[in-house]
């Protein structure tokens, strides 16, 4: 019994709109699902993938505003590797230059990797691959000759290399392809997510938090999930969880990284048709009764054209609303300034302008007060891992 390659990769990031801007607007992936963390409704769970939202192309993110940074290191999946079309690497180098994203190239196993970090510190590598499938989703200048096809694989670091190698080979059914420098390669026969490079260089122990990969999910057939759960009982997997788009179990592999096994069905069209993916806010049934509260709490997020990208001074729905109010007042103040250059304002307009100015000043000062109240002491000694523990993980 073998897994069928990587199903999806999930990472912890910062500001939700910055995450949207990078993966949807800059990388040109399709935003396929807006939902919340099924174990914590106070947090978004944002999904990106190819046009068909196929298993093996899916990257998912948990955006936190106030969480601590994690540390990339041993006991984690450390890098997401994405497949790009043959001959498209120079396009991506230029695109990263255009957006001020630092990049460099490395080689292993005769593959050339273009390496970057996303705005919150997640490591990404791009590799030209032979996959014939083309991602026909085109957005913001990323046309299908350049579009990311899906997941090529991951890099992992382990706290126990011997047993991680054995886990990949004997438990998941990957083939050991040998070694190149600090890397041991494991592969499987699947269109996407077929490669796991284990980097066996002694660095530091990783800790979960913003800028780190939380887990990788391997793809299994629906009818085999139960058998896998029994076969992997030595790793103490969680009970089978219904994630609506797949069913899954979670556990830590012997080297410390969090692993999920997820079923290849029913898929992301379970609750909205292919053409509508990502356009509605989809909640799991156990949170449907909290919809108003959730929508009043989380900042709205948008798939944006390139000319709309900017910095976002808001962190939730309340600060988003006051930001929008502030922008509207500013627009109105400027309109009055323009009109008064052309002609005398009427007495009604003067009265309105004075009110708008007063409201604008109030908005500026309350904005400052909010910012001052946000400054917080950081306790270096508290347990970073605690906040990111999987609910029900045992
Ligand atoms: Zn997952």
């Amino acid at each position: 019994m073998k897994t069928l390659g990587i199903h999806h990769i999930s990472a912890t990031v910062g500001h939700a709109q910055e995450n949207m801007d990078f993966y949807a607007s800059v990388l040109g992936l399709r935003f396929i699902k807006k939902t919340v963390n099924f174990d914590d409704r106070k947090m978004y769970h944002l999904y990106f993938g190819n046009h068909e939202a196929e298993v093996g192309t899916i990257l998912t993110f948990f955006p936190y505003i106030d969480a601590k940074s994690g540390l990339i290191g041993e006991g984690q999946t450390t890098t997401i590797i994405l497949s790009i079309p043959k001959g498209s690497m120079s396009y991506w180098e230029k695109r990263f230059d255009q957006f001020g994203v630092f990049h460099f190239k490395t080689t292993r196993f005769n593959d050339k990797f273009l390496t970057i970090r996303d705005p919150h510190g997640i490591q990404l590598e791009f590799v030209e691959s032979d996959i014939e499938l083309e991602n026909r989703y085109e957005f913001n200048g990323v046309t299908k000759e350049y579009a990311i096809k899906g997941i090529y694989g991951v890099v992992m670091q382990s706290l126990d290399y011997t047993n991680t190698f054995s886990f990949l080979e004997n438990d998941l059914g990957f083939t050991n392809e040998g070694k190149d420098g600090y890397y041991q390669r494991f592969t499987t026969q699947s269109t996407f997510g077929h490669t796991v490079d284990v980097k066996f260089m002694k660095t530091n122990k990783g800790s979960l938090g913003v800028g780190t990969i939380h887990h990788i999910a391997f793809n299994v057939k629906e009818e085999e999930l139960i058998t896998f759960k029994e076969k992997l009982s030595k790793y103490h997997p969680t009970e089978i969880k219904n994630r609506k788009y797949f069913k899954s179990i979670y556990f830590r592999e012997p080297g410390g990284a969090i692993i999920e096994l997820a079923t290849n069905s029913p898929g992301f069209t379970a609750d909205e048709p292919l053409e509508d993916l990502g356009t509605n806010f989809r909640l799991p049934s156990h949170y449907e009764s909290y919809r108003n509260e959730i929508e009043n709490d989380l900042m709205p997020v948008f798939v944006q054209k390139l000319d709309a990208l900017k910095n976002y001074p808001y962190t939730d729905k309340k600060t988003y609303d006051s930001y929008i109010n502030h922008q509207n007042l500013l627009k109105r103040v400027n309109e009055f300034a323009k009109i008064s250059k052309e002609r005398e304002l009427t007495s009604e307009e003067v009265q309105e302008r004075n009110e708008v100015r007063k409201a604008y000043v109030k908005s500026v000062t309350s904005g400052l007060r909010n910012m001052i109240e946000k400054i917080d002491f950081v306790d270096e000694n508290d347990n970073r891992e605690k906040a990111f523990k999987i609910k029900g993980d045992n």
Side-chain angles (χ1 to χ4, degrees):
M1 205 168 58
K2 286 180 172 187
T3 54
L4 310 165
I6 295 167
H7 184 290
H8 67 267
I9 305 171
S10 295
T12 307
V13 294
H15 199 284
Q17 187 59 51
E18 289 171 5
N19 178 252
M20 295 284 292
D21 288 355
F22 188 73
Y23 287 90
S25 303
V26 176
L27 295 190
L29 289 173
R30 182 171 183 190
F31 181 52
I32 59 154
K33 197 67 71 183
K34 178 163 87 165
T35 184
V36 291
N37 183 338
F38 281 20
D39 296 322
D40 180 358
R41 65 177 194 268
K42 294 195 178 312
M43 186 195 306
Y44 272 127
H45 195 182
L46 306 175
Y47 288 70
F48 302 84
N50 72 354
H51 182 271
E52 277 75 29
E54 281 172 278
V55 160
T57 72
I58 311 295
L59 303 182
T60 93
F61 298 93
F62 299 108
Y64 283 79
I65 281 293
D66 294 324
K68 296 204 174 73
S69 295
L71 192 61
I72 295 174
E74 290 157 7
Q76 280 180 352
T77 299
T78 58
T79 308
I80 298 169
I81 314 172
L82 297 172
S83 285
I84 53 173
K86 278 260 175 268
S88 70
M89 194 172 279
S90 58
Y91 167 86
W92 285 103
E93 284 176 278
K94 277 188 220 121
R95 190 152 177 102
F96 295 141
D97 284 338
Q98 185 192 345
F99 291 98
V101 179
F102 173 74
H103 56 86
F104 61 96
K105 279 194 221 162
T106 54
T107 304
R108 60 179 187 270
F109 298 99
N110 296 318
D111 285 336
K112 239 189 210 81
F113 295 92
L114 178 62
T115 304
I116 61 158
R117 290 212 182 199
D118 86 355
H120 303 121
I122 303 292
Q123 295 186 135
L124 296 162
E125 290 179 334
F126 296 78
V127 61
E128 293 184 0
S129 83
D130 295 325
I131 301 174
E132 284 190 6
L133 271 178
E134 162 182 270
N135 177 6
R136 59 191 180 91
Y137 182 71
E138 298 189 323
F139 184 57
N140 272 350
V142 184
T143 52
K144 56 183 191 289
E145 319 76 295
Y146 310 118
I148 293 166
K149 289 165 180 274
I151 297 168
Y152 180 92
V154 290
V155 179
M156 289 175 72
Q157 278 189 263
S158 175
L159 294 162
D160 178 353
Y161 287 97
T162 318
N163 284 314
T164 292
F165 293 173
S166 148
F167 164 72
L168 291 166
E169 249 186 296
N170 303 322
D171 294 325
L172 300 190
F174 276 64
T175 306
N176 190 336
E177 301 285 356
K179 173 182 158 191
D180 181 19
Y182 292 112
Y183 294 88
Q184 190 86 24
R185 173 163 285 191
F186 295 83
T187 63
T188 191
Q189 300 290 325
S190 59
T191 310
F192 297 112
H194 45 68
T195 297
V196 176
D197 283 345
V198 184
K199 184 177 171 186
F200 50 96
M201 186 193 220
K202 188 83 199 136
T203 56
N204 56 275
K205 187 176 187 290
S207 64
L208 295 177
V210 172
T212 62
I213 293 166
H214 185 270
H215 65 265
I216 43 171
F218 291 93
N219 185 16
V220 300
K221 288 184 192 141
E222 173 120 35
E223 61 275 19
E224 289 181 350
L225 186 61
I226 260 195
T227 325
F228 266 110
K229 185 175 174 339
E230 283 157 15
K231 184 182 157 194
L232 301 177
S233 61
K234 60 188 164 188
Y235 303 129
H236 311 292
T238 59
E239 76 272 27
I240 292 176
K241 290 173 188 282
N242 184 354
R243 299 312 198 190
K244 198 170 179 180
Y245 314 110
F246 46 85
K247 291 196 179 72
S248 56
I249 55 172
Y250 301 81
F251 56 92
R252 278 183 196 267
E253 53 86 31
I258 300 174
I259 303 292
E260 176 181 0
L261 298 187
T263 58
N264 51 10
S265 54
F268 295 93
T269 50
D271 60 356
E272 53 187 345
L274 185 65
E275 58 272 24
D276 292 350
L277 287 180
T279 56
N280 301 300
F281 195 178
R282 311 306 311 196
L283 293 175
S285 52
H286 62 283
Y287 287 154
E288 202 49 70
S289 59
Y290 298 97
R291 181 174 281 272
N292 279 343
E293 190 187 306
I294 291 169
E295 287 178 350
N296 281 323
D297 185 35
L298 292 169
M299 72 176 79
V301 289
F302 309 97
V303 173
Q304 308 210 93
K305 298 247 171 74
L306 292 180
D307 57 8
L309 303 185
K310 54 178 179 285
N311 291 320
Y312 308 100
Y314 52 86
T315 56
D316 55 14
K317 182 67 164 65
K318 200 170 137 227
T319 48
Y320 171 80
D321 286 344
S322 71
Y323 168 71
I324 294 298
N325 179 44
H326 182 85
Q327 295 301 104
N328 288 338
L329 287 170
L330 181 60
K331 206 172 137 207
R332 204 78 188 100
V333 169
N334 288 336
E335 272 168 14
F336 281 121
K338 236 184 248 169
I339 296 169
S340 66
K341 272 187 198 153
E342 304 288 320
R343 61 168 170 83
E344 194 116 337
L345 296 176
T346 66
S347 62
E348 271 172 359
E349 282 171 337
V350 169
Q351 205 181 346
E352 191 189 342
R353 183 195 63 187
N354 293 345
E355 291 303 317
V356 170
R357 275 182 178 169
K358 251 190 265 168
Y360 179 73
V361 170
K362 207 175 144 204
S363 154
V364 171
T365 50
S366 73
L368 284 176
R369 206 176 305 124
N370 282 341
M371 282 175 71
I372 291 162
E373 281 164 4
K374 271 203 176 317
I375 296 171
D376 213 358
F377 290 104
V378 176
D379 179 3
E380 285 293 327
N381 296 322
D382 67 3
N383 183 357
R384 286 164 180 238
E385 299 246 352
K386 216 163 59 188
F388 301 99
K389 220 176 156 316
I390 307 166
K391 299 265 167 65
D393 186 11
N394 46 12

